[in-house]
Amino acid sequence: MRLADRTAGAALVPIVLVPWMLLDGWRRVRDYRHWKMLRSLLPRDFWNDCRAFRHYARMIVHWQESLAACLLSNRLHEQRWQKRITIHGTPPHQLPEWGERPVIVAYLHTGSFVFLGYWLRASGLHVASFVKVRPPVLALNAELNQRDGQGASLPRTIRGQGALRSTARFLMPGRILTVALDGHFSSGVYSMGRNIRLNDGAVRLALLCNALVLPASVRNKGWFRFEIRFGRPVPQKIMGAGNVREAVQHLASELWEELRQDRCAINWTTLEAYAGSRHRRLAWP
């Protein structure tokens, strides 16, 4: 894939990916019934014209495409790749408070969420991602890049035992932490088009470290074309009052403005958060 990008540019990379996408789609056929069950827990009018099979297939394709872009993270700073990435809103390093406080970027498992940290790191920013699980292909990518002396193009991953302590030490002015709001361990129900279970960990970390909290999302806009949207940071009035619930609701409302335009951007983890189901998914993502 890297050879294809080097010799023919990003236009050839999708052709290299097609066989793997087909194989991955076949591997996940067994999970489709469970996927439909989760979708059926939400009312039909929530999905608009987002049909189940199209939604499922698109999730698989976008996931593999996003992983491929992450594997090429050492080239995302190049002009030919920058032309494929559109930015809306104010990125963290362009905020007025940048350099004075750390920034926590909160996201959902929608669209090409995994691409966010890699783009920030490719922009020359000091980034870490707080995650529970890292896909094996990204772990392998990190190992290969370290061997090649290209580790600087990768965001740091914080997970496992002692993660909270490591995160608190990492969050210094001029640094960025990416954190998901949805996951298996939710702290409450919030409004985002429908009720959804979300975590408040990003907000609590921000209160602990005096960090700004910024919502963000990534959408696919065509083969290897991405659109990154940054919403409004949680107002200081809310953070200063220590109102955790109101802060998480602000993030949910900002992210919903983007998500309601494309319900098919919802990935498995976000669907579980909407459905409120305790059933574990059968395969990644």
Side-chain angles (χ1 to χ4, degrees):
M1 188 177 64
R2 293 188 179 188
L3 178 62
D5 177 65
R6 186 182 301 116
T7 57
L12 186 60
V13 176
I15 299 176
V16 178
L17 277 181
V18 166
W20 171 247
M21 287 181 176
L22 293 174
L23 179 62
D24 194 40
W26 174 255
R27 182 172 67 93
R28 299 183 194 278
V29 166
R30 63 179 183 175
D31 301 336
Y32 181 60
R33 181 178 298 178
H34 184 67
W35 170 261
K36 286 188 68 175
M37 183 276 292
L38 289 176
R39 278 182 46 112
S40 69
L41 297 177
L42 279 74
R44 184 174 297 180
D45 60 359
F46 175 83
W47 296 110
N48 293 338
D49 60 346
C50 178
R51 298 187 178 278
F53 182 78
R54 174 176 171 267
H55 187 182
Y56 192 64
R58 189 175 132 177
M59 181 184 70
I60 294 170
V61 170
H62 285 181
W63 172 248
Q64 298 301 335
E65 184 183 352
S66 302
L67 284 181
C70 293
L71 295 178
L72 298 170
S73 58
N74 61 322
R75 301 174 188 183
L76 294 179
H77 66 281
E78 298 175 5
Q79 186 63 28
R80 62 195 179 93
W81 275 98
Q82 289 297 314
K83 290 180 179 179
R84 293 176 169 270
I85 304 169
T86 304
I87 308 299
H88 294 278
T90 305
H93 56 294
Q94 295 179 12
L95 294 171
E97 301 91 338
W98 175 249
E100 300 174 4
R101 301 165 62 185
V103 179
I104 294 178
V105 178
Y107 65 91
L108 295 171
H109 289 80
T110 59
S112 297
F113 67 93
V114 70
F115 182 71
L116 181 62
Y118 286 82
W119 177 81
L120 289 168
R121 191 67 187 85
S123 300
L125 303 171
H126 199 164
V127 182
S129 299
F130 187 91
V131 299
K132 181 182 178 183
V133 178
R134 181 167 62 166
V137 66
L138 292 185
L140 176 61
N141 180 47
E143 183 178 340
L144 292 175
N145 278 23
Q146 291 291 348
R147 291 179 184 176
D148 296 341
Q150 298 176 350
S153 66
L154 301 175
R156 176 183 173 187
T157 300
I158 301 178
R159 60 193 177 97
Q161 189 175 7
L164 288 176
R165 186 177 301 175
S166 298
T167 301
R169 286 198 297 262
F170 173 81
L171 279 171
M172 299 172 59
R175 293 183 176 181
I176 301 169
L177 179 74
T178 64
V179 182
L181 292 176
D182 50 348
H184 292 301
F185 303 102
S186 57
S187 56
V189 177
Y190 298 86
S191 175
M192 203 171 75
R194 304 287 302 181
N195 285 342
I196 184 171
R197 301 193 65 86
L198 298 177
N199 302 315
D200 59 15
V203 173
R204 293 189 181 277
L205 277 172
L207 290 173
L208 179 66
C209 302
N210 189 32
L212 291 166
V213 190
L214 183 70
S217 61
V218 186
R219 291 177 64 184
N220 296 69
K221 302 298 288 185
W223 278 111
F224 283 86
R225 295 188 181 276
F226 303 94
E227 181 180 84
I228 305 176
R229 288 185 174 268
F230 294 96
R232 297 175 300 160
V234 178
Q236 184 56 37
K237 181 179 179 180
I238 297 176
M239 296 299 292
N243 195 327
V244 174
R245 182 167 183 82
E246 189 174 348
V248 177
Q249 182 57 61
H250 171 89
L251 295 170
S253 299
E254 288 290 306
L255 292 168
W256 174 246
E257 288 301 312
E258 171 68 13
L259 186 58
R260 68 178 180 178
Q261 301 176 29
D262 184 10
R263 315 293 168 84
C264 278
I266 293 175
N267 283 17
W268 205 310
T269 304
T270 309
L271 177 57
E272 287 181 331
Y274 264 119
S277 173
R278 295 186 179 276
H279 296 286
R280 297 293 298 272
R281 58 180 176 271
L282 304 179
W284 186 275

